[in-house]
Amino acid sequence: SHIRHAWDPHKSVAQNLAEMGLAEDPNKAVPIPKKLLVSGMEVESDGQQPGKKIVRKPYVVNEMELEASLPEKKSNTLSRDLIDYVRYMIQNHGENYKEMARDEKNYYQDTPKQIKRKINVYKNFYPEEYKNFIASLKPEKMEVQ
């Protein structure tokens, strides 16, 4: 969006990017230094090209750097189907993973280890929700007996 606002439609892509201080071709902007052999000794060329272009719109790069430095939001969530599946299995089978593997709702034919792994993922993603769910199951089992 920062580039879009600073873009001048009357100029070429190379001119627009050069004014913003951005590279049109990353291979030319940061070249790989080539080793030159000079009388038996290795010398690295610095790859700097004479005639640097003047940056007329430095605010574009500054805004992009500021945006990139902001912390990223974690949007890790589990699918509703997986949550419902795990809750169903725990509700009907408790900790018996072999029984869960034989359940008719086990559409993907998960093995007991795969089901256990899915339950552990659910525990790690939603620890409070898992505790509340387990706590809500205990009174039901007491009433049944």
Side-chain angles (χ1 to χ4, degrees):
S1 67
H2 304 294
I3 294 172
R4 190 178 301 123
H5 292 299
W7 196 265
D8 185 0
H10 302 291
K11 294 183 181 175
S12 70
V13 173
Q15 291 171 334
N16 272 307
L17 293 175
E19 282 185 356
M20 293 178 210
L22 301 172
E24 176 189 10
D25 184 5
N27 295 322
K28 290 179 183 174
V30 185
I32 299 172
K34 296 179 181 177
K35 293 186 179 187
L36 303 173
L37 288 175
V38 180
S39 67
M41 295 175 52
E42 287 187 9
V43 179
E44 287 191 19
S45 65
D46 59 356
Q48 295 295 325
Q49 296 175 348
K52 291 238 174 188
K53 296 181 181 173
I54 298 170
V55 178
R56 293 197 172 110
K57 299 177 183 176
Y59 61 90
V60 175
V61 174
N62 295 338
E63 289 173 355
M64 289 174 68
E65 286 176 349
L66 179 68
E67 188 177 321
S69 68
L70 295 174
E72 193 174 318
K73 287 183 180 177
K74 287 188 176 182
S75 61
N76 294 340
T77 58
L78 297 177
S79 69
R80 191 74 234 162
D81 292 337
L82 180 66
I83 293 170
D84 292 341
Y85 173 76
V86 167
R87 293 184 85 168
Y88 168 82
M89 291 297 185
I90 293 172
Q91 193 170 12
N92 291 325
H93 306 291
E95 296 284 318
N96 190 344
Y97 301 109
K98 288 183 180 181
E99 208 174 291
M100 290 180 192
R102 283 186 253 125
D103 191 290
E104 63 182 18
K105 295 266 184 170
N106 185 7
Y107 300 125
Y108 297 108
Q109 298 182 355
D110 293 330
T111 64
K113 276 190 174 182
Q114 289 172 322
I115 295 171
K116 185 175 183 178
R117 198 174 305 124
K118 287 181 180 183
I119 291 172
N120 287 335
V121 166
Y122 175 69
K123 285 180 191 177
N124 293 336
F125 269 78
Y126 305 106
E128 290 298 318
E129 187 178 320
Y130 177 76
K131 287 178 188 173
N132 293 338
F133 176 64
I134 295 298
S136 71
L137 289 178
K138 288 182 180 176
E140 288 178 20
K141 288 186 178 180
M142 286 182 191
E143 292 171 7
V144 172
Q145 293 177 353

